[in-house]
Amino acid sequence: MKIRIGLLTLLATATIVLFTAGQIQGQSVRSATWQTSVDDSQPGVVTLGLRDKWGTMRRFTATFVVTLGRKTYRGTMSAVEDEWAYIDFPSQFRGGTPSSGSYKVVFSVKGVVVGRDRFRYRR
């Protein structure tokens, strides 16, 4: 009985330590405070950005998925600490040449959606 209780206590402690270590090392996307940025003021380019406001993740790779109807464009950019991960649409995206219109963008990190926005692309 004492061995079983000791083993359960050890497992519970190990689980808490591993979870806490993941939080400290910046492994939790959901615990970060995310900021997004969209600058569509210039014709022919839209600058999109994502930032971990407090640097919780230490380092992250952002995925940007831009859509217009059924047409999808994808891009990725990395950043460290609280720096912005900026990417220019369409030059740094895969998916071909876009047409003018109102696009939707989804910002994600490690498969977790951390933001959504819209922008107007003009050629």
Side-chain angles (χ1 to χ4, degrees):
M1 185 70 162
K2 287 183 181 181
I3 293 173
R4 176 174 262 165
I5 292 172
L7 183 59
L8 289 174
T9 303
L10 178 64
L11 288 173
T13 303
T15 302
I16 291 169
V17 167
L18 288 174
F19 179 76
T20 304
Q23 295 292 319
I24 292 169
Q25 292 178 358
Q27 299 302 314
S28 179
V29 174
R30 296 184 198 286
S31 68
T33 301
W34 297 100
Q35 292 180 310
T36 61
S37 171
V38 175
D39 179 2
D40 60 358
S41 61
Q42 299 295 319
V45 64
V46 176
T47 302
L48 304 171
L50 182 66
R51 176 173 101 126
D52 174 3
K53 185 175 182 179
W54 307 114
T56 305
M57 298 287 295
R58 305 270 188 236
R59 173 182 309 274
F60 68 92
T61 299
T63 302
F64 304 83
V65 178
V66 173
T67 57
L68 176 65
R70 292 186 174 176
K71 187 66 179 162
T72 301
Y73 306 87
R74 296 180 186 279
T76 59
M77 191 60 63
S78 296
V80 295
E81 299 293 330
D82 62 347
E83 293 178 359
W84 283 92
Y86 285 116
I87 190 168
D88 289 335
F89 177 82
S91 64
Q92 294 178 298
F93 280 74
R94 296 180 315 278
T97 305
S99 58
S100 295
S102 289
Y103 287 76
K104 295 179 184 177
V105 59
V106 175
F107 305 85
S108 61
V109 175
K110 292 185 178 182
V112 177
V113 174
V114 296
R116 299 174 192 270
D117 210 333
R118 295 175 180 265
F119 64 85
R120 182 114 182 118
Y121 176 71
R122 302 177 320 260
R123 293 179 116 191

